Amino acid sequence: MRPWGAVGAVLVVQAAVLTALSGRHGFHRDELYFVAAGKRPDWGYVDQPPITPILARISTGLFGETPSGLRIVAILLAMGTVVVAALIAREFGGGELFTAIATALSAYPLVVSHMLSTSTVDLFVWVVILLFAVKLLKSGDGRWWIPLGVAIAAGIANKWLVLLLVAALGVSVLIAGPRKVLATWWLAAGAGVCLLLSAPVLIWQWQHDFPLLTVAAGISADDGAENRVLFVPMQLIYLSPVLVPVWIAGLVRLWRSEEFRAVALAYPVLCVLTLITGGKPYYSVAMLVALVAAGAQPTLDWLRNHRRAVPFAAVAALIGVVISVVVSLPVLPLKALGPVLAMNKEQGEEIGWPELTASVSQVWQQIPPEQRATAVIFTRNYGQAGAIEEFGAAQGLPKPYSGHMSYADWGPPPDSMTGPVVLVGGVDNSSLLTGCRVVLAHDNGRGIDNDEQGTRISLCAGTTAPWNKIWPDLRRFY
């Protein structure tokens, strides 16, 4: 079988496995938020541009508002990531099949393949940018700046993290060359295309005082120290420890190549930028995928010359694949998830949302029927609000409200809603509500210790002022 026929077989297996597992757990909290945001189309949201919510709207519209229906677009993006990674390997001289298999079975790509998130889109867009950058550096043809501009604009329309990658590549080309790719009017043309396509997203952010920057600053302040401590260890884990020698071999290979030295340098530059900004360790994963593509052929050559090492490499690869699959995909029974959640909490965040809605319904039923027309459900975070919005109607619940992220922009309750308040998870300023008492602590009934397990649900008599007046004090950016 020729390399691309074998890559096609990898894609078929990848699609089959991801599809079979896509409905095993429920919606992730972020997916509930994306579904809600997709029903309120806009050029931007507090914590992200519009691409992922748009994809959520399209996927659920075509395939149904279920986890499986939503995740079809995530599976397609995952397959696209594998194809582009193999194309990068081809530009480096071979190893397409090795790269495809390694990408499809690596831990982080598997995590973001199972659910729709901004990271799912980012991983695909970033490897596309890297493919175009490699083509530009290899050919010296300035026309590649146009597709690069389009791809960067797509990244800006999904998450502004792409600017870290662009900065890393730009700095690396300036330092390591070939600088001739910068001395062309095609660069200005590509930048113009990027700005034109990004204009609606940038204008929306400007009109709303750039909330993305506020959210990013909050994340850095809250998690920056932890992110920096974990950064180096996670570089060894995000794909697989088994692949570390492969991407190191790719890094060395590219550094020794004059035409691709900038790609090698871009990885440490990106790492430094991420550490400075307190960003998440996973921001570098797309670069690691490209480095695996560069190291694929040298690894295969080494194995051919050291045949005695092949059985050991095969065993190590098998162990790595098993660990990646178990940690990343919902293949274990719920009662066995405890150790997995210590490494990948996202599986736990897909469990218990209908049960949380049922807990809210229990509290709602304690409101006298004659008061329910003016009563409000208010949640602390968008996951809780998204769950009630998704599952609440079947339990007789009204639409929820929240001050978290873009839910705050979707408006407060009318000031005529002067009745009791079902408070899910509490508020930062308790003086805004009166007569609150905790009715129950939510239990998902599955034995899963996720972020919502134990969430307190209170019943309050009302607010201390009209909703419109207290709404600014209820907004939360993170």
Side-chain angles (χ1 to χ4, degrees), residues 14 62 65 96 219 243 338 426:
Q14 178 191 29
L62 291 175
E65 199 165 310
E96 296 96 327
I219 292 173
L243 291 174

Side-chain angles (χ1 to χ4, degrees), residues 43 153 156 192-206:
W43 283 110
I156 290 172
V193 168
C194 180
L195 286 173
L196 180 64
L197 294 177
S198 303
V201 172
L202 298 174
I203 290 171
W204 189 95
Q205 286 289 324
W206 173 70

Side-chain angles (χ1 to χ4, degrees), residues 22 128 132 228 302 353 394:
S22 63
V128 169
F132 293 159
R228 293 182 179 99
W302 186 89
W353 296 109

Side-chain angles (χ1 to χ4, degrees), residues 184-385:
T184 171
W185 70 272
W186 286 106
L187 170 56
V193 168
C194 180
L195 286 173
L196 180 64
L197 294 177
S198 303
V201 172
L202 298 174
I203 290 171
W204 189 95
Q205 286 289 324
W206 173 70
Q207 291 175 335
H208 293 80
D209 297 324
F210 294 97
L212 270 180
L213 300 182
T214 302
V215 173
I219 292 173
S220 179
D222 284 357
D223 302 331
E226 180 182 357
N227 292 339
R228 293 182 179 99
V229 170
L230 292 176
F231 188 87
V232 172
M234 296 310 291
Q235 300 308 294
L236 308 179
I237 295 172
Y238 267 134
L239 293 185
S240 170
V242 178
L243 291 174
V244 172
V246 179
W247 64 256
I248 289 177
L251 184 67
V252 172
R253 178 191 183 191
L254 296 181
W255 181 254
R256 291 172 175 172
S257 165
E258 288 188 10
E259 61 182 351
F260 295 132
R261 188 168 294 154
V263 179
L265 183 60
Y267 173 65
V269 171
L270 177 61
C271 291
V272 169
L273 292 175
T274 303
L275 286 167
I276 290 172
T277 58
K280 303 286 187 181
Y282 69 79
Y283 293 175
S284 63
V285 170
M287 279 296 320
L288 292 176
V289 170
L291 294 178
V292 166
Q297 194 58 53
T299 299
L300 293 172
D301 293 340
W302 186 89
L303 289 172
R304 289 191 190 100
N305 295 326
H306 299 79
R307 294 187 180 277
R308 291 183 178 181
V310 171
F312 300 99
V315 171
L318 179 60
I319 293 172
V321 167
V322 170
I323 293 173
S324 292
V325 169
V326 169
V327 170
S328 306
L329 298 178
V331 296
L332 295 180
L334 293 183
K335 63 182 180 181
L337 274 185
V340 170
L341 297 182
M343 295 178 281
N344 174 25
K345 64 175 289 187
E346 306 308 334
Q347 285 202 45
E349 295 306 305
E350 298 175 354
I351 296 166
W353 296 109
E355 291 81 1
L356 176 69
T357 307
S359 294
V360 174
S361 180
Q362 290 182 44
V363 179
W364 178 262
Q365 296 304 319
Q366 296 192 21
I367 300 174
E370 65 274 12
Q371 296 182 23
R372 292 177 191 170
T374 58
V376 169
I377 298 174
F378 183 85
T379 75
R380 180 171 180 79
N381 64 56
Y382 61 59
Q384 299 159 349

Side-chain angles (χ1 to χ4, degrees), residues 379-450:
T379 75
R380 180 171 180 79
N381 64 56
Y382 61 59
Q384 299 159 349
I388 297 167
E389 189 169 337
E390 181 68 29
F391 304 112
Q395 302 200 38
L397 297 178
K399 86 170 184 177
Y401 294 88
S402 180
H404 192 212
M405 298 299 186
S406 281
Y407 264 99
D409 292 327
W410 299 335
D415 286 344
S416 59
M417 305 293 276
T418 56
V421 178
V422 175
L423 179 61
V424 185
V427 292
D428 292 333
N429 188 349
S430 59
S431 66
L432 301 175
L433 301 171
T434 62
C436 295
R437 60 181 177 87
V438 176
V439 176
L440 61 82
H442 166 65
D443 181 359
N444 55 47
R446 309 283 194 91
I448 299 298
D449 186 18
N450 58 20

Side-chain angles (χ1 to χ4, degrees), residues 432-433 463-475:
L432 301 175
L433 301 171
T463 61
T464 57
W467 282 104
N468 190 57
K469 185 174 181 180
I470 67 172
W471 198 246
D473 295 322
L474 292 170
R475 174 183 277 280

